[in-house]
Each structure stands twice: as structure tokens, then as C-alpha cells.
Amino acid sequence: MNEFSMLVQDTIYFFNTFGLDLLRSIIALFVVIDPLGTIPLFISITQKKTKKERNEISKTAVITAGGLLIIFAIAGTQILSIFGITIASFMIAGGILLFIISVELLTHGSWRFGGDISDDSGVIPLAFPLLAGPGAIAAVILSFQTTGLIITLISIVIVIGITYVIYYLTDPIYKILGRRGSLIITRVFAILVAAIAVQYIVNGLQTLLG
């Protein structure tokens, strides 16, 4: 009976820990990816597209972004080590780039450096660098190191799935929020992303200098 009680307690503890780690990983990745904040950009990219073409672009973006994040979750540490890059250095570089993106979102309400809109717009700038940018890549690598591969992969799948749903429902969401509401959300999320970026830089510097 005691052994059964201990087994039940261990199981509850495991699922509580698993659930909290998964929730933290999902929230961190969702804030960095910021699918709601990229709605105005997605609309500007696809405004001359048909609904079918818009769905194809969103599908291409989320599949590409998800694939990149999964690759870096599984082999990110090895990929960085091949080039002699430490996690701390990557966090600093990723934090700086992410901070630049957040400043652009705060000041202009969109990311201006995606280049001309083309048939590859689902890949650039949506999939990379906005969805699977340096911040998201750093987030999944750190998640893998702190919580393990399973939680990291599940969080990627959930966040990418939510992102696809948001892009699929862009029209009704944008009608509810409007351009002003979308820009407000973009700027609010940009502040959170800026804070995350600064924290990446601080953590990276602490590791290098410690």
C-alpha cells in the first residue's frame, strides 16, 4: 500500500513538473514567435493574394518555421559547436538581433527589412527571421538544455499549430482588432520581446564573464 502511495505521489509530481515545464516552454516560445503581432505584416504580404494563396503562404511559413525549430532543438548545440559558437555567444548575438527586431516593431509597427514581396514570402520574412528567428532558435535550444527534447518538441508543435490557426483566421481576427488594435498588440509584444532579448544578453554575458 505504501509502495502504491509512493508510486501515485511520484506520478503526480512527474506530471506536475512536466506540465509546468511544458507551460513555461510554450509561453516563452509563443511570446518570442508572436503570431498575433505579425498579423499586420502577414496581411501586408498577402493583401493581393487570394484566400487559397494566403493559406498556402501561411502553411509554407509555419511548416518551414516548425522544421527549422525542430532541427535546432535536436541538433542546435551540435550545429553551434561545429562553428565553435558557445551557447552564451549565441544568446548574446540572438538577443541583439531580437532587440533590433523589437525596436523596429515598436517604432514602425512592422519589420521593414524583409525585402520585396515574392512567391517565397511564406519563407522570408515570415518563417525566417520572424517566426523562426534567432530568439526562437535560442529559446528551443535553451528549452532542450533545461527541460529535455520531449517537452521542447511538444511546445514547438503546439505553438506552431496555434500560429497556423491564427494565420488561418487572420481576416476575422483583424476585423475584430483592426489595424490600430493589431499595432497595439504588436507594440505590447515587442516590449516583452525586448525584455526577453535583454535577458538573453545578460544571461550570455554572465556565462561568459562568470
Side-chain angles (χ1 to χ4, degrees):
M1 191 68 178
N2 289 333
E3 291 182 359
F4 178 76
S5 298
M6 290 178 62
L7 178 63
V8 171
Q9 290 178 354
D10 290 341
T11 303
I12 293 173
Y13 175 79
F14 170 78
F15 280 108
N16 284 341
T17 305
F18 182 89
L20 288 174
D21 288 341
L22 180 60
L23 183 61
R24 279 193 287 264
S25 182
I26 290 172
I27 291 173
L29 188 58
F30 183 83
V31 170
V32 173
I33 287 179
D34 184 18
L36 286 173
T38 57
I39 283 180
L41 177 62
F42 180 71
I43 289 175
S44 68
I45 287 175
T46 60
Q47 60 183 345
K48 295 182 180 179
K49 306 289 185 181
T50 65
K51 186 173 182 179
K52 183 179 179 180
E53 289 173 332
R54 183 180 296 176
N55 289 338
E56 286 299 318
I57 289 174
S58 64
K59 190 181 298 182
T60 300
V62 297
I63 290 175
T64 303
L68 285 171
L69 293 179
I70 289 173
I71 289 172
F72 274 94
I74 295 173
T77 305
Q78 290 78 5
I79 292 173
L80 294 180
S81 65
I82 290 174
F83 295 98
I85 302 171
T86 64
I87 293 296
S89 298
F90 185 81
M91 286 180 67
I92 294 171
I96 292 172
L97 289 174
L98 194 62
F99 188 79
I100 293 172
I101 292 175
S102 66
V103 170
E104 278 294 308
L105 293 175
L106 276 169
T107 55
H108 301 284
S110 64
W111 175 247
R112 299 178 299 161
F113 305 108
D116 296 331
I117 303 305
S118 66
D119 290 338
D120 295 325
S121 54
V123 177
I124 300 173
L126 283 176
F128 184 85
L130 288 180
L131 296 183
I137 291 172
V140 297
I141 292 175
L142 293 173
S143 176
F144 169 72
Q145 291 187 329
T146 56
T147 63
L149 182 61
I150 300 299
I151 288 179
T152 303
L153 292 179
I154 293 174
S155 65
I156 291 172
V157 171
I158 291 175
V159 172
I160 288 297
I162 294 173
T163 301
Y164 177 73
V165 171
I166 289 173
Y167 280 171
Y168 185 80
L169 300 174
T170 291
D171 288 337
I173 291 174
Y174 194 70
K175 285 178 181 178
I176 294 172
L177 296 177
R179 176 171 177 77
R180 182 174 297 178
S182 295
L183 289 177
I184 290 173
I185 289 178
T186 296
R187 284 174 167 83
V188 170
F189 273 98
I191 294 172
L192 294 175
V193 172
I196 290 174
V198 171
Q199 192 61 52
Y200 281 154
I201 296 171
V202 170
N203 291 345
L205 288 173
Q206 286 177 341
T207 303
L208 285 178
L209 300 176

